[in-house]
Amino acid sequence: MNDNIDLHKQLDESRQGEVISLEQDSTPNGKKLFLESYGCAMNFSDSEVVASILIGKGYSTTLDEHEADIILINTCSIRENAETRVRKRLENFKNRKKRQPGLIVGVLGCMAERLKKTLLEEEKLVDIVAGPDSYRDLPNLIIEVEGGQKAVNVLLSRDETYADISPVRLDKKGVTSFVSITRGCDNMCSFCVVPFTRGRERSRDPKTIYKECEELFNNGYREVTLLGQNVDSYRWNMTSKGEVKDDSIPTTSFAQLMQMVAQISPDLRIRFSTSHPKDMSDEVLEVIAANNNICNYIHLPIQSGNSEVLKRMNRGYTREWYLERINKIREIIPDCAITTDIITGFCDETDEEHADTISIMKEVEWDFAFMYKYSERPKTLAERRYEDNVPEEVKGSRLTEVINLQQANALVINKKKIGKTYKVLVEGTSKRSDDFMDGRNDHNTKVVFPKGDFGKCDYVMVKINDCTTATLKGEVVEICKPSK
Ligand code: 5AD
Ligand code: SF4
């Protein structure tokens, strides 16, 4: 994994730039929508909401950008290279507009929010700019553009969660799905642009989350990932201080929400992302331990192994606190995969501070890590407070060191799994060979095995006989029967 791969959280590179095509179920208006998504899982989940809103207004979707009447691109601002990539795409569409004058191009998501009118007015790259909280307004924005104007809505909301919108599913396999449970972030990590582009944190009504997960299960899906920038701070009908807002409604914490969703069926796997070390409670760990269908997998970004750097990053915990949380996870859930995010070359990071990241990697031995060079983002606390003074080559060499160590650690971890048997949810035919299928185990590790008398959405027991740094290979020893 390197910094040029703009993957974020659990999305792999193959889904970056993914396009949606869906059946259209309302009265057609004859117009075709091409929708492309970049960035994090939350963006992909948002694109499903956007598709749902526009299909409801009569649009049909297309996989061919050349036949589109409207092109929407859902964007990411987390690092500079994510924005550069989208800009190239927008330049490309701008040229197309010269040849196809009626074509409407819109930018959605974090870049829309961050750059607001510049894309529209100064750079004249697009017709529509719509921030993450304004998707209900898209049909009106399109009408404005059809009337000859440019259209922008970048208002951030304190309560929009799109709770009542039934997202249309873009995952073509129909096995796993994202379900968003919170929006926005109140943390203000100093390097991060998200609080500026996605606004204040708010939680979604638990009843609508339950219903969405139940519908997914009834439609054949076998795994949901509950999504939020910081899932541990999910709270319904409670203030951030834990006070009840309305006595007539029950309160719901993240641990309670997971317990609720886990009851839908023992055959529905539950994952969640992302946890924050300062907020991850023992109660959540107990709920994971108590429910077989909540995966033993926690993504717990550390960012740096040095407490002074963590302070500059405004992360709200120290190295020792993080290590205590790791010990607690291993005590309560002995067989839990733990993954992380690491940033190299943050402002003023010294060789000694970087060495602390290397030493904590050796101590924790994460199963997987997303690793990035620090990229300064406009308006963030770090941009205002510190100098982006670690030279690019130093950021790069520290990143290489981190990646090499992570790969070596992962190989040792995976080799220990040879000979063990794991329950795997079958996702489909392997990309590498038609004779093989793949899926994931509880730990979220990809497992590849020969085809047999089973299909996607089945659970199988796989005995591992080989591995690489990222994949386990094995033989199916049992096909699991569905629970009653
Ligand atoms: N530079 C580099 N990496 C960043 N991340 C967030 N902001 C930045 C930035 N400015 C990383 C963090 C976060 C992940 C989603 O992206 O590691 O956990
Ligand atoms: Fe950004 Fe920190 Fe919020 Fe994650 S928790 S989205 S890194 S501000």
Side-chain angles (χ1 to χ4, degrees):
M1 188 135 325
N2 67 49
D3 194 50
N4 294 325
I5 299 177
D6 183 44
L7 44 70
H8 174 186
K9 301 283 148 52
Q10 299 179 329
L11 281 179
D12 57 40
E13 173 70 2
S14 65
R15 290 196 62 182
Q16 296 297 320
E18 190 169 85
V19 169
I20 302 182
S21 174
L22 296 148
E23 294 301 310
Q24 190 247 317
D25 55 4
S26 56
T27 317
N29 65 8
K31 300 209 178 102
K32 290 207 162 95
L33 162 71
F34 178 81
L35 179 50
E36 192 170 86
S37 309
Y38 291 85
C40 64
M42 189 65 87
N43 255 11
F44 283 69
S45 171
D46 280 1
S47 289
E48 297 182 328
V49 167
V50 168
S52 172
I53 291 170
L54 291 178
I55 288 173
K57 291 286 174 192
Y59 289 84
S60 61
T61 54
T62 174
L63 286 173
D64 181 1
E65 58 187 79
H66 300 279
E67 62 170 31
D69 301 289
I70 170 159
I71 293 176
L72 296 177
I73 157 158
N74 199 353
T75 62
C76 170
S77 291
I78 198 108
R79 281 168 293 277
E80 196 180 355
N81 58 11
E83 290 200 352
T84 310
R85 192 169 179 183
V86 166
R87 275 179 177 282
K88 282 198 190 122
R89 206 60 186 123
L90 292 176
E91 292 288 351
N92 194 283
F93 294 142
K94 191 179 173 187
N95 289 335
R96 164 105 36 83
K97 272 167 77 67
K98 287 185 193 141
R99 299 192 298 272
Q100 187 187 334
L103 176 69
I104 296 176
V105 178
V107 55
L108 315 178
C110 290
M111 275 176 82
E113 197 60 51
R114 199 180 82 66
L115 298 165
K116 301 196 165 73
K117 291 183 179 172
T118 25
L119 289 170
L120 202 89
E121 290 172 357
E122 289 165 30
E123 304 179 33
K124 298 199 172 23
L125 277 176
V126 294
D127 307 295
I128 296 175
V129 173
D133 289 343
S134 68
Y135 299 147
R136 285 179 204 271
D137 198 24
L138 273 171
N140 299 329
L141 298 175
I142 294 171
I143 291 169
E144 274 180 47
V145 173
E146 285 168 342
Q149 291 163 10
K150 299 278 177 187
V152 55
N153 184 345
V154 285
L155 288 177
L156 286 172
S157 158
R158 279 190 166 258
D159 49 27
E160 176 64 275
T161 58
Y162 300 112
D164 56 313
I165 294 180
S166 227
V168 290
R169 299 298 161 190
L170 60 82
D171 173 73
K172 295 169 201 83
K173 292 182 189 160
V175 185
T176 68
S177 184
F178 296 120
V179 173
S180 115
I181 65 163
T182 67
R183 295 183 72 81
C185 185
D186 284 350
N187 278 331
M188 299 302 263
C189 299
S190 65
F191 51 79
C192 187
V193 77
V194 168
F196 303 93
T197 58
R198 289 191 159 267
R200 299 304 299 267
E201 183 183 284
R202 64 223 98 120
S203 297
R204 177 177 169 192
D205 185 338
K207 289 198 289 301
T208 67
I209 297 170
Y210 184 92
K211 190 166 156 262
E212 190 176 326
C213 294
E214 194 179 39
E215 275 173 16
L216 282 164
F217 181 73
N218 291 338
N219 288 330
Y221 285 77
R222 289 295 172 263
E223 184 180 292
V224 292
T225 303
L226 306 180
L227 279 186
Q229 307 296 343
N230 175 4
V231 287
D232 304 285
S233 58
Y234 175 88
R235 63 182 90 85
W236 182 248
N237 193 29
M238 270 185 277
T239 65
S240 51
K241 295 193 182 93
E243 292 145 358
V244 179
K245 285 188 188 162
D246 178 346
D247 283 334
S248 64
I249 306 173
T251 59
T252 311
S253 66
F254 178 54
Q256 289 166 328
L257 178 75
M258 284 222 290
Q259 182 65 48
M260 272 167 63
V261 175
Q263 301 311 307
I264 292 172
S265 165
D267 292 335
L268 181 67
R269 262 187 181 173
I270 321 296
R271 299 189 186 279
F272 52 94
S273 187
T274 296
S275 304
H276 196 300
K278 78 176 166 55
D279 296 322
M280 193 191 58
S281 68
D282 293 356
E283 199 192 350
V284 166
L285 301 179
E286 305 282 1
V287 170
I288 301 170
N291 289 277
N292 276 338
N293 57 335
I294 303 182
C295 292
N296 288 358
Y297 170 85
I298 299 178
H299 184 61
L300 197 66
I302 182 146
Q303 316 296 1
S304 163
N306 176 275
S307 297
E308 282 306 310
V309 176
L310 288 170
K311 206 182 206 171
R312 293 201 289 283
M313 288 178 164
N314 200 29
R315 287 288 288 176
Y317 57 86
T318 58
R319 176 187 174 104
E320 292 68 33
W321 173 280
Y322 188 95
L323 288 172
E324 187 280 329
R325 290 287 78 201
I326 294 288
N327 287 339
K328 205 65 182 178
I329 295 172
R330 291 187 170 149
E331 179 191 316
I332 299 179
I333 320 165
D335 183 32
C336 190
I338 310 174
T339 59
T340 202
D341 292 347
I342 293 171
I343 298 177
T344 64
F346 185 64
C347 312
D348 295 332
E349 187 187 63
T350 62
D351 285 339
E352 291 71 30
E353 288 170 340
H354 166 68
D356 281 344
T357 297
I358 297 295
S359 78
I360 204 166
M361 289 179 76
K362 291 180 181 158
E363 199 167 339
V364 176
E365 294 184 332
W366 285 285
D367 293 75
F368 183 85
F370 293 101
M371 299 158 279
Y372 313 100
K373 281 192 280 190
Y374 172 58
S375 162
E376 185 178 77
R377 305 313 291 134
K379 279 200 192 158
T380 54
L381 233 61
E383 190 235 19
R384 285 178 280 146
R385 216 178 260 174
Y386 309 114
E387 210 183 319
D388 179 14
N389 54 2
V390 176
E392 228 15 64
E393 319 81 74
V394 178
K395 283 181 187 173
S397 62
R398 288 179 187 167
L399 180 67
T400 305
E401 193 185 351
V402 163
I403 290 173
N404 289 344
L405 176 55
Q406 178 55 37
Q407 294 209 326
N409 280 351
L411 191 58
V412 172
I413 292 171
N414 278 354
K415 278 190 174 159
K416 286 188 195 150
K417 295 180 176 167
I418 294 176
K420 292 190 177 165
T421 301
Y422 291 97
K423 187 172 181 177
V424 173
L425 172 60
V426 182
E427 292 185 17
T429 302
S430 165
K431 268 190 221 143
R432 300 252 163 84
S433 158
D434 278 351
D435 299 333
F436 286 80
M437 298 200 84
D438 64 21
R440 284 175 190 269
N441 67 4
D442 203 39
H443 293 159
N444 208 26
T445 310
K446 183 179 263 184
V447 183
V448 182
F449 41 89
K451 275 194 169 153
D453 196 12
F454 47 81
K456 66 174 189 174
C457 294
D458 285 336
Y459 286 101
V460 291
M461 302 303 294
V462 182
K463 185 163 187 204
I464 306 304
N465 54 30
D466 197 5
C467 73
T468 64
T469 51
T471 311
L472 299 174
K473 293 174 191 161
E475 302 283 336
V476 173
V477 291
E478 187 189 335
I479 302 170
C480 307
K481 291 198 176 60
S483 306
K484 290 272 164 356

